[in-house]
Amino acid sequence: MDDRIIKTEYSEVMQKSYIDYAMSVIIARALPDVRDGLKPVQRRVLYDMHELGIRHDKPYRKSARIVGDTMGKYHPHGDSSIYEALVVMAQDFKKGQPLIDGHGNFGNIEGDGAAAMRYTEARLEKITQDAFLADLDKNVVDFVPNFDETEKEPSVLPCKIPNLLVNGSEGIAVGMATSIPPHNLGEVIDAVKAYMLDENISTRELMRYVQGPDFPTGGIVTNKDELLQIYETGAGKIKIRGKVEKEKGKNGKTNVVITEIPYPMIGANIGKFLSDVAALAETKKTNDIVDISNQSSKEGIRIVIELKRDADADNFINMLYKKTRLEDTFGVNMLAISDGRPETMGLKQIIKANVDFQFEVNRRKYETLLAKEQAKREIQEGLIKACNVIDLIIEILRGSRDRAMAKACLVEGATDGIKFKSKESAVMAGYLRFTEKQADAILDMRLYKLIGLEIEALINEHEETLANIYRYEDILERRASMAQVIMNDLDAMKKEFSVKRRTVIDNCEEVVFEEKKAEEMELYCLIDRFGYSKTVDIPTFERNQEAAVSENRFVFRCKNTGRICLFTNTGQLYTVKVSDLPFGKFRDKGIPLDNVSNFDSTKERLLLAASQGDLNLYRLLFVTKQAMAKIVDGGEFDVMKRTVAATKLQDGDEVVDVSIYKEQKNIILQSKEGYFLRFAVEEIPEKKKAAIGVRAMKLSDTDEIEAVYYTRGTDDASIVYKSRTLALNQLKAAKRDTKGTKVRG
């Protein structure tokens, strides 16, 4: 048994295993090949459809059949990933040039997913057949065994266009990701031709043809001058805006209409955009919106925002660019597999890789075609030669005992055993020297081939074969001839499949939005015990004052232009803009504080909420679990940061109480073990917020502060402690930092 146990370093095994896994994901799943611009799953889906005969001019077939066949033969992974790849290749709003013709619900630009694969159907697009799969039968690419070595699949498709640029690609591997925008087919083809004519062409000169990305959703690229750097390095950020128009609405109102969206807004982000626009109205960032409607359809995007009659439409549009995703960024990282390894490439490198691939594919194609034509020439020459001595051949056939004897005579001139009509025929037969293939063709030839017209057709076909051989040899021997063939193919592709550019490329000025200052007004902020907050105006509060105080934990006045401060048991201070809280009706639920601040109600408790303006007028009292206390000037909490430390804590300590110091005379500390200490608040010194404070009460090692109470002079405040009513002012007065009095239930 011991001789079968391999002893090795665990870290080395893990390192090797992880590297193997990472390379498998990078090479075999997540990144496209620079030659055909396809990931393995996409390539396998297209090849499987080709094998199944699902051509563009044939009936659609169920997507489930395609997915199942692909999974069973070529791609041993989940059916959902295969179907998702198929769906994306059929979506014209994601791909500049869809490769699959989908029939049924294949999702939409607003983020609705495709129907289940059992409901949808698909077939290949014509461009896929013509540009990706046309020459697979001509030995143009290598075929490799599939995962179980029962089938063969192409290692790459013989793509005639730079698909990596035309359709772009997105994928996340291990430790790397690719993000390549789609481009215009016609422009890319022109750039490829320009490179073929001058391989020393610069990226700047190539950009005379490829202006920039051409997103299927249109839009406006606003940083034209930065594109050169992006295309030289293969990385950068493209800024893109949606296209907005102004239309006359009813009753003299203006409608702002979004007709094109930024490419990153595809999917659920359209819904988020609508929510963001609605939020601008709800939070009073703008009072110009009357109505929002999404009128998008199969004809295109149409989001209509109706504005008030006196609204500044241009300023509102600028606000949309600033405050929503109507202006967004597309991160470019042109990473692809080149020569078996991932590489970030610029525009020229991608075009070069594709051109080199085209020359390799065409070399193999024309070598295959040349070999076929040379084989045809051999047969044709044999048949023509046979027609000239047909009488002798017929005499050989009639005088031979079997096919082997006749073939030996035709190939080697062997006449033994053959009965000839004359000695002259035997002598002539001895000089015959047909090749093996020619002899087989002669023996298989039918008699009707001896008709005059058939012989003439054979001669014409032979001349055509000789012309093809001459042409193929010229293409293979002269690079210029092959380049012309490639460019002719590209021209044919451009003529049939190119479309007009959809994305505008420009240098646009930074959007300037003049935010109107909100009219300052007094409000009441209400925060309930669940942490839901809202603001109401003063008349609304006064009409519902009793309910507001009884139903909410914190109730205080604030200004709509100010901030509120949230103090927690962890010693943190979180600030929230009052304008971020919903303003409206008294019975509205409000919004969780977690949603508008860094406060996390699952990990910490809210001890005090107050207007930042009020804190500037007062001081704050802090008491911690370990009985540390201090008074801090409220002005120290007039900060703009969303999160700051409100106090310094010792290890294992937390804040028990934070109170605004107004009229409190006495402080009463209650410990977990039942000790109460009452002393004057003025004994607590004022400290900075970064200080720990002073000890307010002596505690045993197992005891801690549980509650804090305050009294104002001679008031008769009382609490219930262990079913006993306890008058706070009747507790024995003592000094700070003493043990206090034990109270029993």
Side-chain angles (χ1 to χ4, degrees), residues 109-110 258 261 270-271 273-274 291-297 300-305:
I109 196 170
E110 296 183 32
I258 292 97
I261 60 172
I270 292 181
F273 169 74
L274 296 172
D291 187 35
I292 312 167
S293 60
N294 186 1
Q295 302 174 13
S296 303
S297 64
I301 292 291
R302 182 176 170 82
I303 299 171
V304 181
I305 304 172

Side-chain angles (χ1 to χ4, degrees), residues 580-628:
D580 288 341
L581 302 178
F583 171 81
K585 299 177 182 177
F586 177 72
R587 287 298 170 190
D588 288 348
K589 188 174 184 180
I591 188 172
L593 289 171
D594 303 49
N595 292 7
V596 290
S597 71
N598 294 333
F599 171 65
D600 186 350
S601 60
T602 63
K603 297 179 180 178
E604 49 194 344
R605 290 182 291 109
L606 182 62
L607 300 178
L608 174 67
S611 166
Q612 195 175 60
D614 286 349
L615 296 184
N616 285 327
L617 305 175
Y618 299 98
R619 294 180 292 169
L620 264 63
L621 281 159
F622 286 83
V623 180
T624 75
K625 187 169 66 175
Q626 295 177 3
M628 304 305 294

Side-chain angles (χ1 to χ4, degrees), residues 680-720:
V681 174
E682 61 187 19
E683 291 189 44
I684 301 175
E686 183 171 326
K687 300 278 186 178
K688 293 292 183 181
K689 68 178 181 180
I692 293 176
V694 297
R695 190 167 66 177
M697 182 179 183
K698 286 183 179 179
L699 299 172
S700 67
D701 293 341
T702 58
D703 204 3
E704 62 185 38
I705 300 297
E706 194 172 63
V708 180
Y709 310 101
Y710 297 96
T711 61
R712 292 172 173 79
T714 58
D715 58 7
D716 54 354
S718 61
I719 63 167
V720 176

